Amino acid sequence: MSIRPPQPLRVTFVGVGAIGLPMAQQVAQAGHAVTGVDPSPERRTLAAEHGLVVEEIPSSAAEADAVVVMVATPDQLHAAALGEQGLLARMRQGTTLIVMSTVGPEPVRALEAPAAEHGVRLLDVPVTGGVGGAQKGALRLFASGAADVLEDSAELLGAMGTVVGCGDQVGRGQAFKAVNQLLCSVHIVAAAEALALAERLGLEQDAVLEAVSSGAAGSWMLADRGPRMLEGLDAEVRSAVGIFVKDSGMVAEIAGSLGLDAPLLHAAQAKYVEAADAGLIARDDSQVIQTYR
Amino acid sequence: MSIRPPQPLRVTFVGVGAIGLPMAQQVAQAGHAVTGVDPSPERRTLAAEHGLVVEEIPSSAAEADAVVVMVATPDQLHAAALGEQGLLARMRQGTTLIVMSTVGPEPVRALEAPAAEHGVRLLDVPVTGGVGGAQKGALRLFASGAADVLEDSAELLGAMGTVVGCGDQVGRGQAFKAVNQLLCSVHIVAAAEALALAERLGLEQDAVLEAVSSGAAGSWMLADRGPRMLEGLDAEVRSAVGIFVKDSGMVAEIAGSLGLDAPLLHAAQAKYVEAADAGLIARDDSQVIQTYR
């Protein structure tokens, strides 16, 4: 048995925002040649300071072995991928386009036919774990697509975290992520609601948090967001309220399109919208607790 | 430093139901002389088969060092404790009445004055962890009351699980438990809602459960109840739907009395009521997922 050293790849990374940049850095640290693409001069400057080659327009996609897209919305994804100046038109045949944004199943499935026309292989790999996970290369990657393409990309994806196989059809990774985000959306607001109740009961919130979080009432989000809820408005922004306005809205739309009544999700979504309306959209999502004051 | 062997105590245990019986057994196994009290002949027979002395009326309270009450409702608690034939009238001065039912703060505080009149010491120690925790002596005990009384009862309480100190005023244990039950109520329904979404998305629910439960979407309840949700209607009853109809209702009442709007709790409560109305009140609480079909 021979051990083959990982092949350095040329990777174009589209969208080096709060989470895209640390992801791209992990790929670069794994030995690949990464070019970061972003319309924002500030983000490009920051990416360059972190050692990435940067560009405003994805010219490097023409030489890339793989292109990762980590933009925020379905519209941004389609604008980046499609059209005469889009990624698919630029990319070489046989290379791989990896969608890592959370956009829901349909926007990724809509890229299947155009990718096939250009001879580009398509993967659907949304991630969870936030900025903290991205910085440590410890994201969870909900990966779907053709088995051989997933296998060829395993080392590249593994640089960013743990790959969770979700099946061989694109859209399935997004579907797993939707279920994941329903739980995350609800658990954050549940933590806020519980700590708000503790306050109304006249209890010390930190004592309650410690007492309940390691038992049957525990959740990953309670342990992670709970302490930041108690820090108040100036808590470090690890994930903004706006992300969950977007994600809970996306999951609500998916649930609605499937005829599923999802009352907990809707209640949580209303709380993120309420927080955004109160001017907290760029605050840490833990500050959804302010809506209970 | 001398090590004092634990003193065997005479303990009257009022309410040897699904969770009370295994709790009483743990106390007996720790070396104490336990008498189980229950109005139900079936429960008395079962308790006797498990080695407890049993009685219908708590006559043994007159000789008991401690009386534990593990009944279901505030009304049952007050009926057991108060009046000419009640526990406080039967108990000796200086002995301890330990309320372990989940009834909310006020019903326990209402016992403070009557207990003081009878010279009986009062502790408020609701528990979490369900039948499984009770059987293993691995409950979490939210313990409040005077520090010296708690200390005197530490060994007795420790036989049933881990004591979490909640402060020196009775009612605080119940308040901690209310926060705990808000989270438990919401997390079970969140798990149901998420797995229902997975089904509508055409995903294999067990694969999704495995993929999401160890990441940021995880909760103790998702890991515990999720697998039983997938077993369907005949899943083993570890905690009945009726328990969460009661507990979510109790927490909703407490939140309401404090002027706290708790939309997630209300949405969860409505689901337990919906499940009960659909004839599932005695089924495992995981079967709240049936309401999403």
Side-chain angles (χ1 to χ4, degrees):
Chain A
M1 191 176 134
S2 70
I3 296 172
R4 192 174 51 125
Q7 296 283 326
L9 301 172
R10 288 162 296 181
V11 179
T12 295
F13 208 106
V14 180
V16 285
I19 186 164
L21 176 54
M23 288 168 70
Q25 286 179 259
Q26 291 296 324
V27 174
Q29 280 169 29
H32 304 294
V34 179
T35 302
V37 183
D38 209 291
S40 154
E42 290 78 17
R43 297 305 305 181
R44 290 201 300 278
T45 301
L46 196 62
E49 286 170 4
H50 284 85
L52 300 187
V53 176
V54 295
E55 57 187 12
E56 185 179 354
I57 300 293
S59 312
S60 61
E63 290 83 41
D65 301 303
V67 176
V68 173
V69 185
M70 193 62 196
V71 296
T73 67
D75 284 351
Q76 289 174 4
L77 171 65
H78 286 178
L82 302 173
E84 281 179 31
Q85 298 295 311
L87 293 165
L88 290 173
R90 294 174 187 269
M91 291 169 69
R92 291 175 296 129
Q93 293 212 351
T95 61
T96 308
L97 178 66
I98 308 176
V99 177
M100 302 192 77
S101 305
T102 293
V103 291
E106 289 312 323
V108 184
R109 288 191 192 125
L111 294 180
E112 273 193 297
E117 278 166 34
H118 288 92
V120 169
R121 313 195 301 173
L122 181 65
L123 291 180
D124 167 31
V125 191
V127 300
T128 183
V131 172
Q135 287 169 338
K136 291 177 286 191
L139 295 170
R140 288 173 78 81
L141 285 67
F142 295 114
S144 63
D148 59 330
V149 186
L150 279 172
E151 196 180 321
D152 290 349
S153 305
E155 195 269 332
L156 171 61
L157 296 175
M160 292 177 269
T162 303
V163 177
V164 179
C166 297
D168 61 4
Q169 293 164 319
V170 300
R172 286 180 54 99
Q174 296 287 339
F176 273 62
K177 178 77 192 281
V179 177
N180 192 81
Q181 292 314 84
L182 186 154
L183 288 161
C184 292
S185 299
V186 172
H187 289 168
I188 292 172
V189 180
E193 196 164 300
L195 291 172
L197 176 62
E199 188 174 37
R200 294 285 175 116
L201 282 162
L203 305 174
E204 306 74 27
Q205 290 171 303
D206 53 349
V208 175
L209 182 57
E210 191 184 335
V212 305
S213 59
S214 61
S219 75
W220 192 96
M221 285 296 180
L222 179 66
D224 187 71
R225 303 304 205 269
R228 292 212 294 288
M229 288 180 187
L230 305 190
E231 286 177 21
L233 271 175
D234 292 331
E236 185 192 352
V237 181
R238 309 280 293 176
S239 163
V241 165
I243 299 287
F244 274 98
V245 171
K246 169 179 97 67
D247 282 9
S248 64
M250 180 201 76
V251 183
E253 200 171 309
I254 292 170
S257 74
L258 297 167
L260 178 73
D261 184 31
L264 283 192
L265 173 66
H266 292 303
Q269 185 194 8
K271 278 297 189 181
Y272 294 115
V273 171
E274 185 183 342
D277 288 347
L280 305 176
I281 196 163
R283 302 279 180 170
D284 188 66
D285 58 36
S286 63
Q287 296 311 306
V288 72
I289 195 174
Q290 303 292 342
T291 64
Y292 286 94
R293 291 271 154 77
Chain B
M1 189 177 133
S2 71
I3 295 172
R4 191 173 52 125
Q7 297 283 328
L9 301 173
R10 288 163 295 181
V11 179
T12 295
F13 207 107
V14 180
V16 284
I19 187 164
L21 178 55
M23 289 167 71
Q25 286 178 261
Q26 292 295 324
V27 175
Q29 279 168 30
H32 304 294
V34 179
T35 301
V37 182
D38 209 291
S40 154
E42 291 77 18
R43 296 307 304 182
R44 290 201 301 278
T45 301
L46 197 61
E49 285 170 4
H50 285 83
L52 300 187
V53 175
V54 294
E55 57 187 11
E56 184 178 355
I57 301 294
S59 313
S60 62
E63 290 82 40
D65 301 302
V67 175
V68 173
V69 184
M70 193 60 196
V71 295
T73 67
D75 285 351
Q76 289 173 4
L77 171 64
H78 286 178
L82 302 173
E84 281 179 32
Q85 299 294 311
L87 293 165
L88 290 173
R90 294 174 187 269
M91 291 169 71
R92 290 176 296 129
Q93 294 212 353
T95 61
T96 309
L97 178 66
I98 308 176
V99 177
M100 301 192 77
S101 306
T102 293
V103 291
E106 289 313 325
V108 184
R109 288 190 192 125
L111 294 181
E112 275 193 295
E117 277 166 34
H118 287 92
V120 169
R121 313 195 301 174
L122 181 65
L123 291 181
D124 167 31
V125 191
V127 300
T128 183
V131 173
Q135 287 169 338
K136 290 178 286 193
L139 295 169
R140 287 171 79 80
L141 285 67
F142 296 114
S144 63
D148 58 330
V149 186
L150 280 172
E151 197 180 320
D152 290 348
S153 305
E155 194 271 331
L156 171 60
L157 295 175
M160 293 176 268
T162 304
V163 177
V164 179
C166 297
D168 60 4
Q169 294 164 319
V170 299
R172 285 179 55 98
Q174 296 287 339
F176 274 62
K177 178 77 193 282
V179 177
N180 192 82
Q181 292 313 83
L182 187 154
L183 287 161
C184 292
S185 300
V186 172
H187 289 168
I188 292 173
V189 180
E193 195 165 301
L195 291 172
L197 176 62
E199 187 174 40
R200 294 285 175 114
L201 282 161
L203 304 174
E204 306 74 25
Q205 289 170 302
D206 54 348
V208 175
L209 182 58
E210 191 184 337
V212 305
S213 60
S214 61
S219 74
W220 191 97
M221 284 296 180
L222 180 64
D224 185 72
R225 302 304 205 269
R228 291 211 294 287
M229 288 180 187
L230 305 189
E231 286 176 23
L233 271 177
D234 292 330
E236 186 192 350
V237 181
R238 309 279 293 175
S239 163
V241 164
I243 299 288
F244 273 98
V245 171
K246 169 178 96 69
D247 281 9
S248 64
M250 179 200 76
V251 183
E253 199 171 309
I254 292 170
S257 74
L258 297 166
L260 178 73
D261 185 31
L264 283 192
L265 172 66
H266 292 302
Q269 185 193 8
K271 278 297 191 181
Y272 294 115
V273 171
E274 184 183 342
D277 288 348
L280 304 175
I281 196 163
R283 302 278 180 171
D284 189 66
D285 58 36
S286 63
Q287 296 311 307
V288 72
I289 195 173
Q290 303 292 341
T291 64
Y292 287 95
R293 293 270 154 79

